[in-house]
């Protein structure tokens, strides 16, 4: 992905699903010592600590393509983020997304190992499986074992699990249009299709049903990456452009 | 040296033919389930609903059933059924119609003919696998689908019943049945999105475990008559309805008929965006 334009600023926003009749996001102020010019947030996850605090883990990429995980606590009264610490590790090769496991631990994905634009293109074309999954708590190591592979025949991006155990993903159905769009995010004449899939598993995870609650050719939302449902509402985020709010019903989700 | 070049040309031609055939089978393709609203299976139809004909004046749909009989499944019952569309439908049921007399039909491959009540004349030839056919009487248009080319050819119907080619709509999916919504001119298409699956279904017409994906597209022509917008109101991996072959849309009623199995009725909750 080519660096963004000069006027694009890395930020964390808050969206309240309970607002009525409005569709506004609130940019959150960040308290603490960090470099705003090198703040480019990517994957994000949360956990509610034993003290009741909402803690956010955010993957950050600097201008020099160095990577870290920033830990914030969200202050409910001031509605601001307080920086707790910045985690760096040699295993953060090219982190994409992460999930919080405890208030101190998370699992993180590296989506590849190439560090330049040219080697990144070669890596994607070669289909070499050079990504990895890293667990970090500063102490122990955990292991994963595979249960099932779900062939989607689309490019699934970020995942969200709802309270019924269904997995929601924002996907990119056409790769060449995605590459054309991401090569110049500021060019509004270029856009890529967006797709939201919902995967409902059986009890033993051996079978599943895939439904498609949302699909767009890119003119409403370009290159969707994540979808979050909440009480007949669906919030769809994109890689570098719009945020879309939809009403959904159980019959059409 | 020259025959070596000839061998390489033949090998590359063979490779491209194989690749094109593999792409045609849609091995790398699937649909993701979604519906335009609540759906249910219509009672009374179990042996296919491969053909649907809507009579707007009476709000009834005629349903042809039993196509599997022609594919070697002799236990499939053939006949015509009827369903009445109403604003509030308490029951979704089709009843069969008694047929008196014998029906006879013939189809030809790769051409479009016109029969005026006395003579058969050729309208268009060299068509690749023509499948779905529909007429827009109000706007005097003829629509011809191609199963393997995955497109719809649009013709203007002239006063002397000759046709003039107007435009070609690429669908990226194999059309099987078409319906024109009289009021808007929208083209509703029932398709086989994964072609190798429907091949398997036609080889095992009585086996319910052999399924094929179903898809309904709506094509809305723009004012210029040569550009369009396509949306996908319905898609299913075959578990609910297998091998969709016909479609009818009227006043938020969507009927999707399968080749050998069920007839599905859906409410369309948001017709403006579906």
């Amino acid at each position: 992905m080519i660096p963004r334009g000069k006027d694009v600023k890395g930020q964390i926003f808050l969206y309240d699903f309970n607002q009525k009749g409005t569709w506004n996001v609130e940019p959150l102020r960040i308290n603490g010592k960090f470099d705003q010019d090198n703040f480019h947030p990517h994957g994000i996850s949360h956990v509610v600590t034993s003290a009741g605090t909402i803690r956010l883990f955010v993957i950050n990429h600097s201008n020099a393509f160095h990577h870290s995980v920033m830990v914030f606590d969200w202050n409910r009264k001031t509605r601001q983020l307080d920086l707790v610490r910045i985690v760096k590790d040699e295993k953060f090769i090219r982190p994409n997304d992460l999930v919080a496991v405890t208030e101190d631990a998370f699992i993180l994905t590296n989506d590849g190992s190439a560090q330049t634009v040219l080697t990144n293109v070669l890596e994607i074309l070669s289909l070499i499986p050079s990504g990895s999954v890293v667990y970090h708590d500063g102490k122990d190591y955990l292991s994963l074992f595979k249960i099932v592979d779900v062939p989607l025949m689309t490019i699934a991006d970020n995942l969200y699990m709802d309270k019924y155990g269904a997995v929601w993903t924002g996907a990119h159905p056409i790769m060449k249009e995605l590459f054309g769009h991401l090569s110049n995010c500021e060019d509004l004449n270029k856009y890529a299709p967006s797709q939201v899939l919902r995967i409902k598993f059986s009890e033993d995870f051996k079978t599943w049903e895939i439904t498609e609650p949302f699909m767009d050719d890119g003119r409403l939302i370009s290159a969707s990456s994540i979808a979050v449902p909440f009480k007949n509402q669906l919030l769809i985020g994109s890689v570098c452009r719009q945020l879309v709010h939809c009403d959904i019903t159980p019959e059409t989700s | 040296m020259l025959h070596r070049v000839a061998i390489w040309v033949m090998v590359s031609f063979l490779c491209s033919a194989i690749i094109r055939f593999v792409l045609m089978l849609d091995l790398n393709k699937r649909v993701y389930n979604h519906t335009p609203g609540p759906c249910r299976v219509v009672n009374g139809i179990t042996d296919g609903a491969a053909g649907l004909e809507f009579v707007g004046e009476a709000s009834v749909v005629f349903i042809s059933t039993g196509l599997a009989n022609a594919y070697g499944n002799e236990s499939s019952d053939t006949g015509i059924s009827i369903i009445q569309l109403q604003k509030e439908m308490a029951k979704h049921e089709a009843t069969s119609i008694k047929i008196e007399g014998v029906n006879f039909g013939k189809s030809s491959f790769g051409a479009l003919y016109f029969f005026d009540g006395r003579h058969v004349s050729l309208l268009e030839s060299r068509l690749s696998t023509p499948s779905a056919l529909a007429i827009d009487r109000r706007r005097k248009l003829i629509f011809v689908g191609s199963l393997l080319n995955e497109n719809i050819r649009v013709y203007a119907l002239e006063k002397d019943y000759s046709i003039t080619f107007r435009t070609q709509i690429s669908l990226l999916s194999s059309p099987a049945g078409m319906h024109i919504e009289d009021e808007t001119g929208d083209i509703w298409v029932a398709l086989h999105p994964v072609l190798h699956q429907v091949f398997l279904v036609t080889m095992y017409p009585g086996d319910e475990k052999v399924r094929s994906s179903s898809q309904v597209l709506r094509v809305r022509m723009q004012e210029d008559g040569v550009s369009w917008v396509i949306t996908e109101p319905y898609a299913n991996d075959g578990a609910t309805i297998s091998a969709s072959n016909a479609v009818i849309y009227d006043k938020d009623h969507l009927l999707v008929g399968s080749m050998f199995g069920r007839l599905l009725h859906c409410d369309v909750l948001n017709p403006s965006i579906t």
Side-chain angles (χ1 to χ4, degrees), chain A residues 61-186:
Chain A
H61 312 291
S62 73
N63 292 327
F65 211 54
H66 297 148
H67 317 290
S68 60
V69 172
M70 301 175 73
V71 184
F72 301 101
D73 283 348
W74 184 53
N75 190 316
R76 289 178 195 257
K77 293 190 175 67
T78 63
R79 293 171 83 82
Q80 294 170 2
L81 291 172
D82 301 324
L83 178 62
V84 175
R85 66 174 161 274
I86 299 176
V87 182
K88 298 182 181 181
D89 196 285
E90 61 180 14
K91 297 187 189 61
F92 300 168
I93 299 166
R94 205 172 76 204
N96 185 307
D97 201 5
L98 79 177
V99 291
V101 178
T102 69
E103 56 193 79
D104 294 312
F106 52 82
I107 296 177
L108 169 147
T109 56
N110 291 305
D111 60 19
S113 59
Q115 299 292 303
T116 67
V117 174
L118 174 62
T119 53
N120 185 42
V121 170
L122 294 178
E123 185 178 68
I124 290 174
L125 292 178
S126 67
L127 296 180
I128 294 174
S130 52
S132 56
V133 178
V134 172
Y135 170 80
H136 173 87
D137 72 348
K139 289 170 254 172
D140 305 316
Y141 288 96
L142 296 184
S143 60
L144 305 173
F145 66 95
K146 192 176 95 163
I147 294 178
V148 77
D149 266 322
V150 181
L152 296 178
M153 294 188 190
T154 186
I155 300 171
D157 206 331
N158 292 358
L159 306 177
Y160 176 82
M161 175 171 278
D162 66 15
K163 59 188 182 182
Y164 307 105
V167 177
W168 298 68
T169 180
H172 311 289
I174 304 181
M175 180 188 270
K176 68 179 175 67
E177 297 194 25
L178 173 70
F179 281 176
H181 164 56
L182 293 185
S183 65
N184 190 355
C185 280
E186 325 305 330

Side-chain angles (χ1 to χ4, degrees), chain A residues 11 40 46 53 55 60 65 73 84 99 102 112 114 120 122 127 137 159 191 193 199 202 210 245:
Chain A
Q11 290 184 95
H40 306 297
H46 90 281
T53 305
R55 174 163 290 183
N60 185 43
F65 211 54
D73 283 348
V84 175
V99 291
T102 69
N120 185 42
L122 294 178
L127 296 180
D137 72 348
L159 306 177
Y191 48 83
I199 306 149
S202 62
I210 303 175
H245 177 281

Side-chain angles (χ1 to χ4, degrees), chain A residues 14 16 35 50 91 103 115 122 132 134 149 165 171 179-180 187 198 212 217 225 235 243:
Chain A
L14 179 74
D16 190 348
D35 187 354
S50 51
K91 297 187 189 61
E103 56 193 79
Q115 299 292 303
L122 294 178
S132 56
V134 172
D149 266 322
F179 281 176
D187 186 355
R198 175 181 174 270
E212 185 187 52
D217 59 9
S225 59
L235 198 65
L243 180 68

